């Protein structure tokens, strides 16, 4: 095994999720393919192709999955987006309307700030030390 390729993120709507992750966060749309059951296979990823873990944006099916949209990790930070230039990416994301829940802070492991995606899932934007 080399890496985790995709992590599923349950969303309300494919197109609004694609817009948020590509426009506000700067991810690339890797694939958007229709499936026989009427769903779509939608994958986005940050960075260069195949260099990290991407997200499979999966539209919620049924009440159980719909209840998880925006709260997939019980309110804790569940996703960690690394950057090599915190100030640049924080400014770009803020200008794009991303909601940061705190001011940037400096920790022994790096510069970090928690933000929410369009559904309320919590993420760290993190520039690791070194």
């Amino acid at each position: 095994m080399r890496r985790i390729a995709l992590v599923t993120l349950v969303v309300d709507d494919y197109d609004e999720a694609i817009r948020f992750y590509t426009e506000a966060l700067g991810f690339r749309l890797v694939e958007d393919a229709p499936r026989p059951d009427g769903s779509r296979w939608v994958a986005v990823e940050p960075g260069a192709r195949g260099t990290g873990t991407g997200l499979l944006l999966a539209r919620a099916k049924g009440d159980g999955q719909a209840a998880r949209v925006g709260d997939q990790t019980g309110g804790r930070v569940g996703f960690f987006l690394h950057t090599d230039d915190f100030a640049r990416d924080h400014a770009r994301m803020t200008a794009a309307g991303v909601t940061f829940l705190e001011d940037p802070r400096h920790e022994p492991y790096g510069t970090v700030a928690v933000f929410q995606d369009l559904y309320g899932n919590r993420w760290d934007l993190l520039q690791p030390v070194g």
Side-chain angles (χ1 to χ4, degrees), residues 29-109:
L29 179 62
V30 176
E31 190 171 0
D32 184 356
R35 308 217 357 117
D37 66 358
S39 66
R40 289 158 55 186
W41 183 266
V42 178
V44 296
E45 66 182 21
R49 186 172 179 92
T51 60
T53 302
L55 295 176
L56 176 67
L57 303 177
R59 186 179 62 207
K61 291 182 184 177
D63 292 341
Q65 289 181 16
R68 301 293 184 262
V69 173
D71 191 28
Q72 295 187 132
T73 59
R76 68 171 292 137
V77 172
F79 306 94
F80 301 83
L81 185 58
H82 282 197
T83 177
D84 59 359
D85 187 333
F86 184 93
R88 174 199 66 211
D89 290 335
H90 183 267
R92 183 188 55 73
M93 291 166 64
T94 300
V98 174
T99 301
F100 279 87
L101 302 177
E102 63 183 8
D103 291 331
R105 57 190 160 81
H106 302 283
E107 299 289 347
Y109 55 85

Side-chain angles (χ1 to χ4, degrees), residues 1-58:
M1 308 311 151
R2 294 184 330 163
R3 67 183 178 97
I4 296 173
L6 293 171
V7 172
T8 299
L9 187 67
V10 183
V11 301
D12 280 332
D13 179 82
Y14 292 117
D15 295 322
E16 75 178 1
I18 290 168
R19 270 191 304 281
F20 178 81
Y21 287 98
T22 60
E23 294 175 12
L25 298 190
F27 285 31
R28 288 177 306 94
L29 179 62
V30 176
E31 190 171 0
D32 184 356
R35 308 217 357 117
D37 66 358
S39 66
R40 289 158 55 186
W41 183 266
V42 178
V44 296
E45 66 182 21
R49 186 172 179 92
T51 60
T53 302
L55 295 176
L56 176 67
L57 303 177

